[in-house]
Amino acid sequence: METVTAGLALFDYDNDGDIDIYFLNGAPLHGTKVATPPRNALYRNDGNFRFTDVTRQAGVGDKGFGLGVAVADYDNDGDSDLYVNNYGPNVMYRNNGNGTFTDVAKQAGTQGDSSGVGAGVCFLDMDADGDLDLYVSQYLAFTYKMHIRTVWRGYHVYPAPGGYLPAQDLMYRNNGDGTFTDTSVESGIATVKGHGMGMVCADYDNDGDTDIFVANDGTANFLFENNGKGNFEEVGLFVGLAYDVYGKRQGSMGVDCADYDNDGWLDFYQTSYEAQLAVLFRNLGDHAFEDVTLATRAGDGTFSHVTWGNGLVDFDNDGDRDIFVACGHLYDNVEQFSDLTTYKARNLLLMNTGDGKFVNVSRQSGNGMQVKESSRGAAFDDLDNDGDIDVVVLNSRGIPTVLRNDSPKTNHWLDVQLRGKKTNRDGVGAQVRIVAGNLTQLDEVHSGRSYQSHFGTRLHFGLGNRTRIDRIEVRWVGGGTDVLRNVPIDRLRTIVEGSSPSTR
């Protein structure tokens, strides 16, 4: 667990209009004594890049061995709740609406067992019934009695996940009364096992329901296709997401989802292990993906590093998605036996050139991209509400990195926040399509994504030099659609389900 922890969450916990930060943390292993045990930490955003540690007041300082996190309003009461996937018992923090949280995992039935090593986690409405269900991935099964000692090139190193049996992932159906039922078997999730790491839920085939991509470390990736009723079939091999272009399993870490080429289909970007390229899977439609990493140069700079958190984000507001990749090795002694890589590394920024290709601009993108740490989770949102996306990175065995976006303010933008009425309050799973002149963009609200992290509940669209939006179409989970026309730009627009002049 030491090597792979952990993710973080960016979300507005107190509904004051700005984005707060929740960091996960590890925990002492058996036999380790510490004066002050580490804990997770919640930082309230006070504006202008000033933050206050409110962990104690909020009651979210879990001391378990944290790995994955997701945020959503699972009880539809108007505030954001928090789920933490640990090694050991998991935690579900219900937001009390007054700046405090209560751990309800035990009574909700989502605590899990003590032998599962946590990983990515997502909320989704798998059956379109208006409340959010919960997918919990499990990295592997581990107990201290199972500890494996590994030697590589004469040096003691952490064991690979293949030394342990994969664990079954879990699906919990929301009962609508504050409790959940384990439906892993009935839903089809339990038919396969893998070393799940990062994950994201998305409607990859544009059929109106939410599917699930699980990035597995050293085993084939999973894509669970939803039949619309919360029953899933694993189709990763058939659609081209299980392996890379060479037909090889990767040490898959994190996966993010967006329409990088603005063709109306959601694509996936997956990070991986040292001596492997991170992979861009282009959605071809018709239930098929193509590994276009080499053709697009979307893996430039990733081969020498273990890559973790990632985001498909429009950092320069020009109307297409760029790529951020968090780098850092898992072996803190790797430089003793490898000339290829380092434990600490600079993160990567790949700029989308708008013609289907990417250029590595890490070296010319400011001193924030020159920080060298061993990074894990990465999350992206507008921390100062100035219209561009900033970055927060959780680093292993070090302080986090917060990167302010100082790109020139020459391009326009729009943020969209959804509020469901019949569907879930956060609009998780809803797709938003905007048309601004000759630019059409598609995005979807996700809860949990990338490497064991959560971000982006507010959707961000860069517009380039376009000065108005002709049309916004919101397709809610369950089939309803809202249409808005002639929408002003350079602001946050909240869209309430069923409130638009054009509704169907």
Side-chain angles (χ1 to χ4, degrees):
M1 300 82 68
E2 289 180 291
T3 65
V4 297
T5 187
L8 71 152
L10 301 185
F11 72 113
D12 183 3
Y13 88 95
D14 52 0
N15 285 336
D16 67 348
D18 50 30
I19 300 298
D20 311 296
I21 306 174
Y22 187 67
F23 293 110
L24 301 195
N25 213 335
L29 301 182
H30 285 188
T32 303
K33 295 182 179 180
V34 295
T36 304
R39 57 164 172 77
N40 300 344
L42 176 64
Y43 286 88
R44 186 188 65 223
N45 189 339
D46 297 326
N48 297 317
F49 279 90
R50 304 299 299 177
F51 294 83
T52 300
D53 186 342
V54 294
T55 311
R56 187 182 299 276
Q57 302 95 298
V60 291
D62 182 48
K63 296 179 181 178
F65 207 110
L67 290 127
V69 61
V71 176
D73 185 1
Y74 78 88
D75 51 2
N76 287 328
D77 67 347
D79 45 45
S80 297
D81 310 299
L82 189 63
Y83 187 86
V84 180
N85 196 7
N86 288 328
Y87 167 58
N90 299 325
V91 176
M92 176 174 273
Y93 286 119
R94 186 189 66 217
N95 193 326
N96 300 319
N98 60 0
T100 69
F101 293 76
T102 301
D103 179 10
V104 297
K106 188 173 183 179
Q107 50 264 50
T110 58
Q111 196 171 47
D113 62 61
S114 60
S115 63
V117 176
V121 56
C122 290
F123 285 98
L124 72 155
D125 188 356
M126 65 177 181
D127 47 8
D129 65 349
D131 51 35
L132 291 173
D133 312 296
L134 180 63
Y135 187 106
V136 180
S137 65
Q138 299 288 296
Y139 188 36
L140 45 78
F142 174 83
T143 67
Y144 285 92
K145 294 180 180 179
M146 298 164 58
H147 179 58
I148 297 171
R149 296 189 178 274
T150 304
V151 176
W152 175 251
R153 296 179 180 176
Y155 293 89
H156 287 282
V157 297
Y158 289 97
Y164 299 91
L165 293 175
Q168 175 196 302
D169 291 349
L170 302 171
M171 176 66 81
Y172 294 104
R173 186 188 68 234
N174 191 330
N175 299 321
D177 59 0
T179 68
F180 291 75
T181 299
D182 186 340
T183 60
S184 308
V185 174
E186 302 95 298
S187 65
I189 298 300
T191 58
V192 290
K193 293 181 179 181
H195 293 296
M197 286 288 267
M199 61 178 298
V200 66
C201 298
D203 183 4
Y204 88 95
D205 51 1
N206 286 345
D207 66 349
D209 53 45
T210 304
D211 313 296
I212 305 169
F213 184 111
V214 182
N216 286 315
D217 185 4
T219 55
N221 297 326
F222 296 151
L223 180 68
F224 291 104
E225 186 175 299
N226 193 341
N227 71 349
K229 300 179 180 179
N231 299 312
F232 295 87
E233 179 184 4
E234 202 290 295
V235 298
L237 175 63
F238 304 110
V239 303
L241 290 174
Y243 307 106
D244 66 14
V245 69
Y246 304 106
K248 293 183 177 180
R249 298 171 295 180
Q250 288 209 323
S252 306
M253 300 297 182
V255 58
D256 196 21
C257 173
D259 181 9
Y260 85 92
D261 53 358
N262 290 334
D263 68 348
W265 296 89
L266 293 173
D267 312 294
F268 295 108
Y269 187 80
Q270 170 209 294
T271 50
S272 55
Y273 195 65
E274 166 201 347
Q276 299 173 339
L277 291 174
V279 178
L280 177 60
F281 290 108
R282 180 172 179 255
N283 192 335
L284 304 177
D286 197 26
H287 300 85
F289 287 82
E290 179 184 11
D291 179 347
V292 295
T293 309
L294 295 176
T296 62
R297 300 188 63 84
D300 192 11
T302 64
F303 185 81
S304 297
H305 303 291
V306 182
T307 51
W308 306 83
N310 64 97
L312 287 161
V313 179
D314 187 354
F315 290 107
D316 52 2
N317 284 339
D318 65 347
D320 50 43
R321 302 301 182 111
D322 313 299
I323 298 174
F324 184 98
V325 181
C327 303
H329 211 278
L330 53 88
Y331 297 153
D332 54 358
N333 61 342
V334 67
E335 288 143 272
Q336 294 178 316
F337 55 85
S338 174
D339 296 327
L340 175 66
T341 190
T342 56
Y343 177 63
K344 294 184 177 181
R346 295 182 180 90
N347 296 323
L348 297 170
L349 181 60
L350 307 179
M351 184 180 71
N352 191 329
T353 60
D355 59 357
K357 293 182 171 57
F358 294 85
V359 175
N360 189 340
V361 296
S362 308
R363 292 189 179 276
Q364 57 260 42
S365 294
N367 61 14
M369 295 305 301
Q370 305 311 308
V371 176
K372 291 185 71 173
E373 294 289 346
S374 189
S375 299
R376 298 295 184 265
F380 313 88
D381 217 313
D382 186 355
L383 297 179
D384 52 355
N385 290 328
D386 68 343
D388 53 35
I389 299 298
D390 310 297
V391 184
V392 184
V393 182
L394 188 146
N395 299 311
S396 180
R397 306 182 186 186
I399 63 172
T401 304
V402 180
L403 303 178
R404 187 185 64 218
N405 190 340
D406 289 334
S407 300
K409 308 295 184 183
T410 54
N411 289 328
H412 297 291
W413 56 277
L414 180 77
D415 283 351
V416 174
Q417 181 172 268
L418 300 183
R419 287 291 175 257
K421 289 293 188 180
K422 296 180 181 179
T423 62
N424 70 85
R425 176 252 185 186
D426 288 338
V428 174
Q431 289 194 345
V432 177
R433 191 181 308 270
I434 73 165
V435 179
N438 63 347
L439 175 67
T440 300
Q441 296 183 74
L442 171 72
D443 204 0
E444 184 175 298
V445 180
H446 308 294
S447 170
R449 62 200 298 182
S450 184
Y451 185 73
Q452 303 182 346
S453 294
H454 173 93
F455 58 88
T457 303
R458 300 188 308 196
L459 303 182
H460 180 83
F461 298 92
L463 300 173
N465 60 5
R466 298 161 185 86
T467 57
R468 73 169 189 174
I469 293 174
D470 303 302
R471 172 187 171 96
I472 300 178
E473 180 176 311
V474 182
R475 190 190 70 186
W476 304 89
V477 173
T481 302
D482 283 311
V483 179
L484 291 79
R485 302 181 190 277
N486 298 319
V487 178
I489 59 172
D490 295 336
R491 64 194 67 191
L492 169 66
R493 179 65 181 258
T494 299
I495 301 175
V496 179
E497 183 180 11
S499 65
S500 70
S502 302
T503 303
R504 64 176 185 270

